[in-house]
Amino acid sequence: MRNLFEEYGYSKFDIENKVIDCWNEIFDPKNPNHFYFDAPDNTGYMEDTGNDDARTEGMSYGMMMALQMNRKDIFDRIWKWARVNMYLEDGPNKGFFCWSNQTNGKKNADGPAPDGEEYFAMALFFAANRWGNGEGIFNYTEEARAILRTAIHGPCKMWDEKYHHIRFVCNCPFTDPSYHLPHFYELFAKYADPCDKEFWLSAAEASRKYLVKACHPETGLAAEYATDEGEPLEKKMHGTFFSDSYRVAANIGLDALWCGKTPELSKIAANIINFFDGKKPEELKDYMIDGRALKKNARHPIGLIATVAEAAIAVDENDSIAVEKAKAAVKRLWDTPMRVGRRRYYDNCLYFFAILALSGKYQSY
């Protein structure tokens, strides 16, 4: 995998230490800022410290982080906690996972969030390829296939059959641009049920085209929630550049790392980096996608800095101006410490993923 940090002049020693420090910040119980916790019966959970719960978003992120760091012990603990406490055994959402649980395991809801399911599936497939399948819930391949089978064939569909777009929630009439992970779908086509190969290949193509429509042609910004035509929903319906939206830049970067660059997405990456060029954490705001600043400061400024830096992976290397701004975005991330305090969970998840991707350690297995 391409190591952009090393290309930009950072030493291997410093890069390795940066990765290890990020891991410890999240997972080491001796670190006061950690938000991974061991739990009884060989389980563990990731706490959303801003909301005092465990979410499929964070649980699946934790599994992916553990997979990338070759920590099968923690991967299995998180997966077991999710499978025991979050799995929905009956009702219309049977086979999915409750999107939010109390940290004692009690469910806060009776429905899923599709971004958690797609990350669960990808992490499980990677675990099968890296460590091999076990028995029961640790037969990673079968568990992942079951999730995706339910997602596209069950009564509550997570992907629209007409557009091949992931939904914000099951069967709803709109999507979340940051949920679109074409690099995942390319791999789902290889590892999911063989009969669904063409669906996943179509979903990958559709999501790349969708991101071009959803991202503003000048700023590169996408709304949190948008129509299938890429139009932002109304402002009061999260039709602005807000917390979820940050991940679009990261997803474009990871797509380039795993699947190669596409000119249209490289242009979006350059536009995003250019829009945020030179902005300090305290200067970051919520925005309309055309770049007009709103009154509120960004809720997760460190996470935003991280995702903008991760977009550097997708920048066209022949565009010298874009490359120089990409280097500045990467340096801004390198020089910015991880977040502390109550809101650290989301920022530091995005931060660690960016560090893994920029160091070439966010591997496709």
Side-chain angles (χ1 to χ4, degrees):
M1 286 289 174
R2 185 183 182 196
N3 184 335
L4 204 65
F5 278 138
E6 194 170 355
E7 290 180 27
Y8 287 176
Y10 300 89
S11 75
K12 289 183 179 180
F13 178 81
D14 288 341
I15 296 167
E16 290 292 329
N17 282 339
K18 179 75 85 170
V19 172
I20 293 169
D21 287 347
C22 287
W23 170 266
N24 290 338
E25 191 85 4
I26 295 171
F27 290 90
D28 185 352
K30 297 177 183 177
N31 190 302
N33 299 310
H34 77 102
F35 48 87
Y36 165 78
F37 296 88
D38 282 338
D41 299 322
N42 294 315
T43 65
Y45 63 88
M46 303 280 282
E47 181 181 1
D48 179 340
T49 56
N51 293 288
D52 302 317
D53 64 356
R55 302 184 170 201
T56 51
E57 171 194 76
M59 296 293 283
S60 58
Y61 282 3
M63 288 166 60
M64 184 64 79
M65 292 170 187
L67 181 285
Q68 297 297 331
M69 297 295 286
N70 200 24
R71 288 297 303 269
K72 186 177 185 297
D73 57 331
I74 291 180
F75 183 98
D76 284 348
R77 280 180 168 272
I78 298 174
W79 172 237
K80 184 178 178 182
W81 197 99
R83 196 61 170 74
V84 169
N85 295 299
M86 307 180 102
Y87 191 73
L88 297 166
E89 300 281 357
D90 49 37
N93 291 310
K94 180 181 178 181
F96 291 137
F97 293 76
C98 174
W99 73 273
S100 170
N101 283 50
Q102 296 176 27
T103 57
N104 63 10
K106 184 178 179 180
K107 292 180 176 66
N108 290 328
D110 59 4
D115 60 331
E117 258 68 8
E118 60 183 346
Y119 257 89
F120 275 143
M122 194 75 269
L124 288 164
F125 282 135
F126 282 174
N129 294 338
R130 185 163 199 182
W131 301 317
N133 286 307
E135 297 181 353
I137 67 169
F138 300 110
N139 185 335
Y140 305 124
T141 297
E142 289 308 311
E143 291 288 309
R145 285 180 171 180
I147 291 170
L148 297 181
R149 191 180 307 130
T150 304
I152 63 174
H153 296 299
C156 295
K157 291 179 171 56
M158 288 187 168
W159 271 264
D160 173 86
E161 293 177 304
K162 176 182 177 182
Y163 294 100
H164 292 86
H165 292 167
I166 192 170
R167 304 289 82 193
F168 169 63
V169 294
C170 294
N171 293 336
C172 86
F174 60 90
T175 185
D176 179 325
S178 78
Y179 285 13
H180 286 253
L181 307 176
H183 43 298
F184 280 23
Y185 313 151
E186 295 271 2
L187 296 170
F188 290 170
K190 294 182 179 180
Y191 304 134
D193 291 336
C195 62
D196 293 326
K197 177 178 179 179
E198 293 305 317
F199 178 92
W200 292 116
L201 290 175
S202 296
E205 180 182 6
S207 280
R208 290 193 180 101
K209 290 179 178 178
Y210 178 74
L211 290 172
V212 175
K213 292 192 295 184
C215 295
H216 191 274
E218 294 180 3
T219 66
L221 304 185
E224 269 210 315
Y225 307 158
T227 69
D228 284 300
E229 297 304 321
E231 293 297 322
L233 299 190
E234 294 180 14
K235 182 179 175 183
K236 64 181 179 180
M237 289 288 293
H238 294 254
T240 62
F241 182 82
F242 191 58
S243 300
D244 273 17
S245 310
Y246 305 171
R247 298 180 296 195
V248 171
N251 297 339
I252 289 172
L254 194 60
D255 185 45
L257 187 67
W258 287 3
C259 301
K261 299 176 184 179
T262 57
E264 297 84 0
L265 296 182
S266 290
K267 179 61 176 174
I268 291 170
N271 287 344
I272 293 170
I273 290 169
N274 181 63
F275 180 78
F276 288 106
D277 186 43
K279 289 183 173 65
K280 299 176 182 179
E282 62 272 17
E283 298 171 341
L284 298 173
K285 300 282 187 180
D286 296 339
Y287 301 93
M288 304 299 290
I289 69 165
D290 62 8
R292 286 175 290 164
L294 301 175
K295 291 182 179 180
K296 290 186 177 180
N297 290 334
R299 179 175 291 179
H300 300 287
I302 307 303
L304 178 52
I305 285 172
T307 57
V308 172
E310 191 172 344
I313 301 167
V315 166
D316 183 352
E317 295 168 35
N318 296 314
D319 185 339
S320 59
I321 296 175
V323 168
E324 287 306 307
K325 291 191 176 184
K327 289 180 179 178
V330 169
K331 184 178 187 302
R332 178 174 54 193
L333 171 62
W334 185 273
D335 293 339
T336 299
M338 296 178 82
R339 189 169 184 176
V340 299
R342 180 171 169 79
R343 290 288 182 183
R344 68 189 183 279
Y345 149 81
Y346 187 65
D347 291 80
N348 290 350
C349 283
L350 300 184
Y351 190 108
F352 189 27
F353 279 143
I355 295 299
L356 287 170
L358 291 162
S359 64
K361 294 184 179 296
Y362 203 156
Q363 298 277 337
S364 167
Y365 287 93

